[in-house]
């Protein structure tokens, strides 16, 4: 038998080619249209543990696994930074990746519009809109403001008379969701309204008298509303939601302010994710949405199921971006 000899250079070259091939397979999950998905997936909450993004994607992974819709490991990791903008920038180095699945919500629109990031939802692959929470405007139990109309009347007299607080940055969700309602009620000089952003729990700042009104997520403050420590003046759904104390909270529309705000959450893939992977996740997330297990967790966490498949989700994102542009321009925060 004739022996085949490799020079050291040829052997190194061969090993390099094999290494690149393995890395390519790992990047794509060792996958093709026939065997996708295989190996571990990479589920990412682009914020710290314990927040809405973290809870959403961990719940998605759990239900997908429990129902056997997805049969490979779905470990979840946190990748915080700049309200989700850091992870979105990192995602640009993973074009055509099929392992990374990320959760986002309105900030993916805000941080592009306000210049925090050069990237936005068009630099991802939207897969499905899943759930909604709604904005809530809460005050201390002994606040002189009894209704959302009282707040708006005060702002019309003097835009600096009410100090608003939130845990998102100026020009991001907690700030803009309040301004959308104020603008709809005819409040002028939106850029003069005092908004204070806190890194920590805004309810502490409200109870301590450092702000007059806390603009936040309804789900995040329901415990203190039910206990009577806070009073919710209004929420931003198009109807009353929930039962008990939650069901007693009026909508902004009921208060004569014709505006809503949806804190939607959806899943996104990497930019240029291959069609076979996109099709897989569109099917998987549709099936997830239809399971009784998913409906049960939505009820548990007070989420509205507002599922949209990828094409309709993209249309929703484009339409919603247009709506936000007007408010961002009014407060001088529009970067483009």
């Amino acid at each position: 038998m004739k022996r085949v000899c490799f020079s050291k250079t040829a052997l190194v070259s061969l090993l390099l080619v094999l290494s690149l091939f393995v890395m390519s397979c790992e990047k794509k999950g060792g996958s093709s249209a026939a065997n996708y998905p295989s190996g571990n997936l990479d589920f990412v909450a682009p914020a710290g543990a314990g927040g809405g993004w973290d809870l959403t994607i961990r719940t998605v992974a759990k239900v997908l696994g429990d129902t056997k819709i997805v049969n490979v490991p779905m470990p979840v990791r946190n990748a915080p930074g700049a309200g989700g903008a850091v992870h979105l920038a990192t995602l640009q180095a993973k074009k055509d990746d099929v392992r990374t699945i990320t959760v986002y919500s309105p900030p993916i629109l805000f941080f592009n519009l306000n210049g925090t990031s050069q990237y936005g939802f068009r630099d991802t692959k939207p897969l499905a809109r899943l759930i909604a929470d709604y904005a809530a405007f809460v005050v201390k139990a002994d606040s002189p403001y009894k209704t959302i109309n009282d707040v708006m009347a005060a702002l019309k007299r003097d835009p600096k008379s009410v100090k608003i607080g939130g845990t998102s940055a100026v020009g991001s969700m907690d700030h803009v969701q309040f301004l959308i309602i104020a603008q709809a009620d005819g409040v002028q000089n939106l850029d003069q309204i005092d908004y204070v952003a806190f890194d920590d729990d805004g309810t502490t700042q409200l109870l301590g008298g450092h702000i007059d009104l806390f603009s936040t997520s309804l789900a995040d403050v329901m415990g203190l509303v039910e206990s009577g420590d806070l009073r919710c003046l209004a929420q931003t759904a198009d109807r009353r939601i929930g039962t008990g104390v939650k069901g007693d909270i009026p909508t902004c529309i009921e208060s004569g302010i014709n505006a809503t705000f949806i804190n939607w959450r959806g899943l996104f893939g990497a930019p240029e994710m291959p069609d076979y992977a996109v099709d897989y996740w569109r099917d998987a997330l549709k099936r997830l949405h239809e399971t009784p297990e998913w409906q049960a967790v939505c009820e548990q966490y007070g989420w509205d199921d507002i599922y949209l498949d990828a094409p309709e989700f993209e249309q929703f994102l484009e339409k919603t971006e247009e709506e936000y542009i007007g408010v961002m321009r009014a407060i001088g925060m529009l970067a483009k």
Side-chain angles (χ1 to χ4, degrees), residues 75-224:
V76 176
R77 64 182 175 91
N78 298 91
V86 170
H87 175 65
L88 183 56
T90 302
L91 203 59
Q92 304 314 300
K94 295 187 174 185
K95 284 184 170 62
D96 80 6
D97 178 77
V98 298
R99 296 177 57 246
T100 305
I101 304 295
T102 301
V103 60
Y104 274 113
S105 60
I108 199 173
L109 301 177
F110 291 132
F111 56 57
N112 180 241
L113 293 176
N114 67 26
T116 300
S117 174
Q118 63 181 304
Y119 304 113
F121 76 89
R122 294 178 182 85
D123 303 294
T124 69
K125 182 63 69 172
L127 299 173
R129 188 183 75 175
L130 292 176
I131 59 169
D133 186 13
Y134 299 96
F137 308 119
V138 296
V139 296
K140 291 197 299 182
D142 60 354
S143 169
Y145 302 112
K146 305 302 181 184
T147 67
I148 193 67
N149 303 106
D150 292 341
V151 174
M152 297 304 165
L155 291 172
K156 289 173 184 177
R157 291 191 298 268
D158 177 3
K160 291 194 172 298
S161 62
V162 185
K163 185 171 288 186
I164 313 299
T167 54
S168 67
V170 173
S172 196
M173 190 164 68
D174 290 351
H175 186 198
V176 176
Q177 66 191 19
F178 179 81
L179 295 182
I180 286 173
I181 303 305
Q183 185 182 59
D185 199 48
V187 176
Q188 303 296 311
N189 303 314
L190 297 180
D191 59 330
Q192 294 182 28
I193 294 174
D194 283 337
Y195 174 81
V196 184
F198 298 104
D199 291 330
D200 56 359
D201 186 359
T203 57
T204 301
Q205 305 299 327
L206 179 62
L207 292 169
H210 304 292
I211 54 176
D212 301 307
L213 180 146
F214 183 34
S215 173
T216 185
S217 158
L218 182 57
D220 289 349
V221 291
M222 271 313 302
L224 287 171

Side-chain angles (χ1 to χ4, degrees), residues 45-55 58 77-80:
W53 287 346
D54 183 68
L55 177 62
R58 289 183 189 278
R77 64 182 175 91
N78 298 91

Side-chain angles (χ1 to χ4, degrees), residues 308-320:
L308 282 179
D309 191 14
E312 293 76 24
F313 186 24
E314 288 198 49
Q315 293 172 11
F316 166 81
L317 291 168
E318 291 167 359
K319 181 177 182 294
T320 304

Side-chain angles (χ1 to χ4, degrees), residues 209-279:
H210 304 292
I211 54 176
D212 301 307
L213 180 146
F214 183 34
S215 173
T216 185
S217 158
L218 182 57
D220 289 349
V221 291
M222 271 313 302
L224 287 171
V225 172
E226 289 171 343
S227 70
D229 293 288
L230 299 180
R231 185 167 67 251
C232 187
L233 302 182
Q235 50 92 353
T236 61
D238 59 359
R239 67 199 185 286
R240 293 202 181 196
I241 54 177
T243 58
V245 174
K246 190 174 188 180
D248 291 337
I249 299 171
T251 66
C252 292
I253 293 174
E254 286 180 71
S255 303
I257 305 172
N258 190 26
T260 60
F261 183 87
I262 301 174
N263 179 12
W264 55 267
R265 292 178 199 140
L267 294 194
F268 298 76
E272 301 177 25
M273 175 183 267
D275 288 345
Y276 70 83
V278 173
D279 291 344

